[in-house]
Every structure is written in C-alpha cells, then in structure tokens.
Amino acid sequence: MSLLDEEGNQDESLESKTLSAEDQVKDHSTGTRVVAGQIFLESGKSDSQSENEENFHSQEEEKDSSLEELNSLEMSNLLNKDLEEAEIQSPVLTAIGGTADGEPCHFPFLFMEKEYAECTADGREDGRLWCATTYDYKKDQKWGFCESEEQSNKRRQMQEAEDVYQIGMKILNESSKKAQKKVAYQYLLKAADMNHTKAMEKVSYALLFGDYLKQNIQSSKELFEKLTEEGSPKGQMALGFLYASGLGVNSSQAKALVYYTFGALGGNLIAHMILGYRYWAGIGVLQSCESALTHYRLVANHVASDISLTGGTVVQRIRLADEVENPGMASGMLEEDLIQYYQFLAEKGDVQAQVGLGQLHLHGGRGVEQNHQRAFEYFNQAANAGNSHAMAFLGKMYSEGSDVVPQSNETALQYFKKAADMGNPVGQSGLGMAYLYGRGVPVNYELALKYFQKAAEQGWVDGQLQLGSMYYNGIGVKKDYKQALKYFNLASQGGHILAFYNLAQMHATGTGVMRSCHTAVELFKNVCERGRWSERLMTAYNSYKDGDSNSAVVQYLLLAEQGYEVAQSNAAFILDQKEASIVGENETYPRALLHWNRAASQGYTVARIKLGDYHFYGFGTDVDYETAFIHYRLASEQQHSAQAMFNLGYMHEKGLGIKQDIHLAKRFYDMAAEASPDAQVPVFLALCKLGVIYSLQYIREINIREVFSHIDMDQLLGPEWDLYLMTIIALLLGTIIAYRQRQHQAIPRPAGLRPAVPQQEPPPEHQPPQ
C-alpha cells in the first residue's frame, strides 16, 4: 500500500469543513433568516421588522438580547410564530422531458405505493433518474427526468468506476499476498482510466514508487497534473515533490512551494509537514519558527489523536551507510532464523519468548509485521502460565478492542486487576485508566492517581504520562505544572509519543515553562515523524534490499522532503553509490551533496564528514579545502568524530586549507586515537610517517657549515685537537688496510681462468679448497 494510501484515512480536508460553513453563511440573501439551524425565506414582516434590510444584523442582536428576557414558553411561541410565517427554502429541481417538461419536481411523490423524497431510477431499466411533478404519479402520470442524457451517462460511468474501485480496494485491504495486490491495482488502473479521482491518486503513487506496478515517473507526473487540475490536495502535494526533487520535470523550488501550499490549504497532512520542515530549516523560504510551529502543530494534533492505548507502530530507522560500513552492526532488524528460534522456544513453553513475541506482533517492527491474532495467542499462552506482563497486555488489547479481540471493559478490568495484584506496572497503569475514565468501574480519581503513581515509580511510561496529565489538568489533584513537566519528561525519555506532544504544547504556549518556539517545533516534529507515513521507511528499505534502488530512492526522497534525517542520509547514500539509474550521472553528486547537507544540519556526524569529503575531492562542487576543513572541524568539535580528527591532522600535515603545522597534525592524530580504538592503527602509521617527515625537515632546515663555524675546537678538545684527529684517522686507515689484506689471503684467485675460454675448468691444483 502506498504512502498516501496509509495516510488517506486521516487525511481529510482540514480547511473544507470551515470554509463550506462560511461560504454557506455568505450565500444567505438579505431576505433570509436562520432558525433552528435552517435557512428560511421571509414571507411577511411584522411592524417591528419593517426597518431597512441593511440593519438586519443589528436587529438580530436586539432580538437575541430580548430572547434572554423571555421565559421558555414565550420563546417557544416566538419560534412557532416564525415557523408559521416562513417557508423552507430548498433547491428546486425542474423536470426535463417526460410528460411535465419544465415543471418543478414534487417531493415527496408517491410511486408504486412508496414515497420518494428525492429523484429515483426505480421503474427504469436504463437507470436514469426521474421525478413526479405531482404527489400521486399513478393518478396524474406527470413526470420528467432529473438530469439530461449526458449527465445521466456521466453519472452511470462514475458509478461504474466507483464499483470497480471498491472491488480493487476490497482485494487490496483483505489480502497480504503480493500477487493479489497486483490484481487489485489492475482494478484500480481500470477505475483510474474512467477518471475516478481516488483511483487516480492510488495509481499515480503506485507508479511513482513502483508499488505493485512498474515504476513510471512520467506516467505518474501526467496523472498528478490531471489530479491537480481537479483540485486534489494529494495530487498538488505530489506535483510539488516532483518539482522539488527534479524527477520527471526540471527542478523548481518556487513551483514546489506553490504546489505544497495549495496541497496544505486542501488539508493534506504531508504537505503541512513538508512546509513545516521548510520553514524550520529555511529551505526555499525565509526561516520562520512560528510558521513551522503552525504547520507541525496541526499535523501533530492528528498524529496524537490517532495514538491508541496500546501505542502506535514502531518506527524503524535503518541507516544504509552504517549497514554497509559496519556489516556486523545490529540494524535493529531480527533475522528470520532468530525469530524462528524464539517461536520454537515459545512453542516449548518459554514464557519470556511468548511475551516477547506477543509484544513484537502487537506493535510490529524489527522485521515483524503487526498481527493482533498472533499477539493475542502468545499473550494467552503466557497469561495461562501466570505471567503478569502477558495479563496486562491482554487487558490492553481488550480495553482497546480490534477485529481480533472484541472490546470489553469488564474483561480488560479482570486482567488489569490480576496483573496489578502481582505488582505489574502495566496492569497498575491499566487499572488507573479504568478508574480515570470509568471503564467497567465508577470514576475514582483518587484510586486512578494511586495506581498511576505505583506504575510511575516502577518506570512505566504510561503511568508517568497519565500522572503528568492529571497534574497538568488538575484532575484528582491540584494543578501543578512543574510536576506535570517532570512526569512528561520522564515519559518522553521512554519514547512515548504523547509525552513529546504534551511537552511540545507546554513549550509552545509557555505553560509551566518559558515559551520556546524552537523547542516546541523540535518536539512537534518528533511527534509528526511517528505518523503512519513513517511505515514508508521500512518499505523503502525493503525495496533497497530487494535490489530496486530506483524505487527506494524515490521513497527516501519524499520522506527526506518531510524532514526525516535518516531518509535524507539514505537518499544521499544511494545517490553517492550511483545505484539509482533514474537520476542522471551528472546530477548524482550534486543531489547527494544537497541531502548530505540537510542531514548534517540535523546533527548526523557521517553526513558532516561526507560534506567535508565532497569539498575536499570536488564531488558535486569545486575543490575547496577551506570549506572541507570547516566541516571536519564541526564534526570534530560537535560530535567528537575520530574520522574528522584524523582528517584534520592530515590537512594540518599537508597544509591543505590551513597553514602547515606538524605539531597540530600530531595533536589531532593523538585525539583521533583517544576518541576511537579503531583509529589507533592508522594513527600509529600516520605518526611514524610524520616522524620521518619531521626528521627530514629538521635536517633540511639546519645549515651544517654555519653550525661548525660556531664551534671552537680549541676550547672543546684542547689546543692540540688536530693531532688527536690525525691519530684517530691514521688508526682507522691502518685498521681498514689490515682488514683488506686478510680478506685477500683468505680467498686466493684462480690463475688459469681466462675470459676467452670460460668453458674450460681450471687444473685441480688451482681449485679453491673444498
């Protein structure tokens, strides 16, 4: 399922509900009034209503004030009088053709002993809508069509497209097999060809990402353009993404910003998130913390409202660069054989394995798909063995309810009580929730507070969160923002999304803390990145592992636009390795440089070092040693990177981008060795090389003649130092001559050897001794 499909359920238009109400008010004529929420047309006016219509609003205000003085009976009489004097304004449908062409439709009308309050296709084989123009059709036989033949054909075509779309969606949602999902997308393709908007949205994203359809950027672009013309926020957002990333079109950040803005105005949450990140980082717009806060807060509200008692899905952030450079490093994913080993242990009755697998299947993640049925089975097995943790999670599942487990407060309460009696913090927290909201028991804030405190003392994040909420709202206790802040901070350290959300609200409004827009934005951003669209991270990773780098890079690029740092670094890594063929060879390094830069600005050390490398070697930019030096220094000072320290040592040694300084070079090499044990061997080799270079440089720098001119030999060795020197030289010369003579005596030369006859052997008496 594509990214926007997952988001679709909660991606309703955020603006349209308000705008439609305002538009409706604006459309009221001056001769109408609103009574009991309905629009009425004035049929007559009393003396008190005979003033100019321009004063209508002031009259309404006076009427409202007078109504406050009336008792309920008088108010009722007044409303009844208004109803008698008014007629309901309703849209009038005019019959087309038939036996009453041009006459207004009559609603309700009687046909086949059944009343119809709207047009119907009953009684017609062609499905065309019609109405009667009098009450009794059988008696008067007066009727006409509610639509033209062209409108009828269009409506039937759209109904056919809707039926095809629903078939496709049913197959898509009910099947987990790839082959079945491909069949589903064939139905969606057919519906899209019939101009079904939702089908076009799904197909366009499938073509963009290569989800169950062959990836085709150009075809997806054409569909997005068509959707944008129809005013689809999803289409507008996606077209903005294409212009931002330069896929299928010439890159244009200005156009991207326009489409993102229209998508956000249409209520698309991802467009809001992208704009939030752009205003926060100052990408294509002037940096504005307050604007970023507005966008991020709106998305965070939706994400927070979607979090259930059992918690949201786990966001798996896997860095491709770390996996390649450190193959043995744990990525957080569980190997298939390890999962099978745990399953084997669970089947043999290992309670810890049962609870662990239950939690994995409940939340999903680490390579395990979310499966409530299997989670329920594992928890049941462990609970039957007396495990309190399993009992508590069963209580959570019954409290929340799902397709597998029917919602039951009573059953949940039983499990929570059993777990809480055994001192389990999850059970205590669940029992606290039951008393706080009156689920299966009467509301009792005192008991709720007691159980939350017990859970919080054991470090359970739900207990800490709910305790913070009680102090924040003053439920069962006196309002105490400091205590609320304390418990929200504790829960956030455990990674609870709602704790981040509550802290963000406090910093955004300055409640209990000094207002900090920057802190609020960072916290809201964290919440937004836990939304359902984060599942795309795993989809992109799986695409990359399956060898589909083109699909992976497009998915990572969209997530990078949303501000996911791990997506920015992964997109840059794929581009850096030149594995994505959809990006031109000349564009890979510049685009990789852009995303390394964005990832580095969010604190990723490897990205900062990569920026230094790109400027050092001139990848995607001009060779610039000074800029490379700045990036290495930032990585060294801010993230204490051994690699950056080593590189700084090398640049000081060679004098690249900085004045040559062998002493500083040695200092940075030493710092690198201290920062990481892995750096000790290369640092040792670098220091050996540095020692040789230093020695040669020292010898080169000193002047031998000048040194000897400053030496007073008479004072150093005495007035007759030249005799001593001559004696020493004579002794050395005699020793050498004597040694040479002994060498000649030990190995006599053969006399009969001549160059002209090398093949002849010398006589035996002249052969060297054996």
Side-chain angles (χ1 to χ4, degrees), residues 706-719 721:
E706 188 178 343
V707 169
F708 278 105
S709 66
H710 287 85
I711 296 175
D712 188 350
M713 300 302 289
D714 291 339
Q715 186 177 359
L716 184 66
L717 299 175
W721 62 271

Side-chain angles (χ1 to χ4, degrees), residues 45-308:
K45 295 183 181 180
S46 62
D47 294 337
S48 63
Q49 295 174 318
S50 59
E51 296 183 12
N52 291 334
E53 290 177 351
E54 295 175 0
N55 299 326
F56 170 73
H57 293 292
S58 62
Q59 291 175 6
E60 288 298 297
E61 291 173 4
E62 292 173 6
K63 183 174 179 180
D64 288 341
S65 63
S66 65
L67 284 174
E68 293 174 2
E69 301 173 2
L70 296 174
N71 58 32
S72 60
L73 180 61
E74 291 172 330
M75 190 182 298
S76 176
N77 291 337
L78 178 61
L79 288 174
N80 288 336
K81 181 180 178 183
D82 286 341
L83 286 170
E84 290 170 2
E85 293 176 350
E87 293 176 0
I88 299 177
Q89 182 183 16
S90 59
V92 177
L93 280 174
T94 304
I96 302 170
T99 58
D101 184 33
E103 294 183 19
C105 291
H106 187 286
F107 296 111
F109 64 88
L110 188 67
F111 173 66
M112 300 289 287
E113 298 182 358
K114 179 182 175 182
E115 281 193 345
Y116 291 85
E118 58 185 3
C119 297
T120 181
D122 290 355
R124 294 192 63 85
E125 293 181 358
D126 60 3
R128 195 169 171 185
L129 295 174
W130 65 277
C131 68
T133 56
T134 60
Y135 174 72
D136 193 337
Y137 168 78
K138 185 177 180 181
K139 175 184 174 185
D140 301 320
Q141 296 287 309
K142 302 278 283 181
W143 68 277
F145 292 112
C146 297
E147 56 190 358
S148 66
E149 190 170 353
E150 183 182 350
Q151 291 171 328
S152 176
N153 291 335
K154 188 177 180 181
R155 180 182 57 78
R156 285 200 299 273
Q157 186 181 12
M158 290 310 296
Q159 184 58 51
E160 184 183 349
E162 177 66 22
D163 293 340
V164 174
Y165 170 77
Q166 291 300 335
I167 292 171
M169 287 304 298
K170 186 178 181 183
I171 298 171
L172 193 64
N173 293 328
E174 291 179 357
S175 177
S176 59
K177 294 180 180 178
K178 193 171 183 178
Q180 286 294 312
K181 288 184 181 290
K182 285 184 176 180
V183 171
Y185 267 95
Q186 292 306 312
Y187 280 102
L188 296 176
L189 262 174
K190 185 179 177 182
D193 290 339
M194 299 165 73
N195 294 324
H196 190 282
T197 303
K198 289 185 178 179
M200 284 195 293
E201 289 174 347
K202 286 191 176 293
V203 168
S204 58
Y205 280 100
L207 290 169
L208 177 64
F209 298 131
D211 284 344
Y212 312 112
L213 292 174
K214 187 178 179 181
Q215 190 177 31
N216 190 325
I217 304 292
Q218 194 60 37
S219 296
S220 68
K221 181 193 80 108
E222 291 168 4
L223 278 173
F224 288 139
E225 287 174 339
K226 191 173 181 180
L227 286 166
T228 299
E229 289 173 5
E230 294 180 3
S232 165
K234 288 184 180 180
Q236 291 163 342
M237 186 282 294
L239 202 55
F241 163 65
L242 293 182
Y243 276 106
S245 54
L247 294 173
V249 293
N250 293 325
S251 180
S252 171
Q253 297 303 320
K255 286 185 178 180
L257 184 63
V258 170
Y259 285 119
Y260 283 149
T261 304
F262 277 115
L265 289 173
N268 186 273
L269 296 180
I270 289 181
H272 276 291
M273 195 170 168
I274 291 171
L275 287 175
Y277 174 67
R278 288 191 160 227
Y279 278 110
W280 182 62
I283 299 171
V285 292
L286 287 174
Q287 198 168 15
S288 170
C289 184
E290 294 298 333
S291 297
L293 180 63
T294 301
H295 290 289
Y296 271 130
R297 177 189 269 169
L298 190 147
V299 181
N301 289 342
H302 278 257
V303 174
S305 66
D306 200 39
I307 301 301
S308 63

Side-chain angles (χ1 to χ4, degrees), residues 266-559:
N268 186 273
L269 296 180
I270 289 181
H272 276 291
M273 195 170 168
I274 291 171
L275 287 175
Y277 174 67
R278 288 191 160 227
Y279 278 110
W280 182 62
I283 299 171
V285 292
L286 287 174
Q287 198 168 15
S288 170
C289 184
E290 294 298 333
S291 297
L293 180 63
T294 301
H295 290 289
Y296 271 130
R297 177 189 269 169
L298 190 147
V299 181
N301 289 342
H302 278 257
V303 174
S305 66
D306 200 39
I307 301 301
S308 63
L309 180 64
T310 53
T313 54
V314 177
V315 180
Q316 204 72 40
R317 301 171 191 259
I318 303 171
R319 298 186 189 280
L320 300 180
D322 291 350
E323 270 205 345
V324 172
E325 292 178 14
N326 305 294
M329 179 179 166
S331 63
M333 303 290 290
L334 292 176
E335 297 293 336
E336 185 62 31
D337 54 352
L338 187 59
I339 295 172
Q340 289 177 358
Y341 173 66
Y342 283 135
Q343 288 172 344
F344 172 77
L345 290 178
E347 288 169 6
K348 291 294 182 182
D350 189 306
V351 176
Q352 293 303 319
Q354 291 167 350
V355 173
L357 285 170
Q359 286 182 275
L360 275 174
H361 283 99
L362 179 64
H363 300 295
R366 302 194 70 183
V368 180
E369 285 190 7
Q370 196 172 30
N371 188 325
H372 282 193
Q373 179 65 49
R374 300 201 71 179
F376 181 73
E377 290 169 1
Y378 282 123
F379 284 142
N380 245 331
Q381 291 172 20
N384 291 337
N387 184 276
S388 62
H389 218 61
M391 294 175 189
F393 274 99
L394 279 174
K396 273 193 165 194
M397 293 187 76
Y398 274 109
S399 178
E400 189 65 29
S402 66
D403 295 338
V404 176
V405 183
Q407 202 282 332
S408 172
N409 289 331
E410 291 72 20
T411 310
L413 192 66
Q414 290 174 12
Y415 280 114
F416 284 143
K417 278 184 177 178
K418 286 180 183 178
D421 290 342
M422 297 170 74
N424 185 278
V426 185
Q428 292 166 344
S429 178
L431 210 51
M433 292 289 285
Y435 281 112
L436 180 63
Y437 295 107
R439 296 172 181 171
V441 289
V443 173
N444 188 324
Y445 295 140
E446 190 176 335
L447 281 175
L449 185 70
K450 171 188 168 185
Y451 283 113
F452 287 143
Q453 284 174 334
K454 285 184 176 182
E457 285 168 6
Q458 296 189 63
W460 182 239
V461 289
D462 282 344
Q464 294 164 342
L465 175 75
Q466 297 302 331
L467 203 54
S469 296
M470 292 186 80
Y471 277 111
Y472 183 85
N473 296 306
I475 299 173
V477 291
K478 187 180 178 182
K479 274 189 181 181
D480 190 334
Y481 293 131
K482 286 186 178 179
Q483 285 293 319
L485 188 68
K486 169 190 168 184
Y487 285 112
F488 287 151
N489 272 321
L490 287 171
S492 70
Q493 290 169 17
H496 204 297
I497 304 175
L498 293 179
F500 287 116
Y501 176 76
N502 291 337
L503 283 172
Q505 292 285 23
M506 292 183 78
H507 282 93
T509 57
T511 306
V513 290
M514 285 289 290
R515 186 180 187 275
S516 172
C517 177
H518 184 78
T519 305
V521 167
E522 288 189 337
L523 289 166
F524 275 134
K525 181 176 183 289
N526 195 319
V527 175
C528 294
E529 290 181 0
R530 309 289 188 91
R532 290 181 178 178
W533 38 81
S534 63
E535 294 172 14
R536 176 61 60 187
L537 284 169
M538 275 308 300
T539 312
Y541 174 75
N542 291 331
S543 296
Y544 182 76
K545 281 296 183 184
D546 292 339
D548 192 353
S549 296
N550 285 335
S551 174
V553 78
V554 173
Q555 295 176 75
Y556 279 133
L557 284 171
L558 178 55
L559 291 164

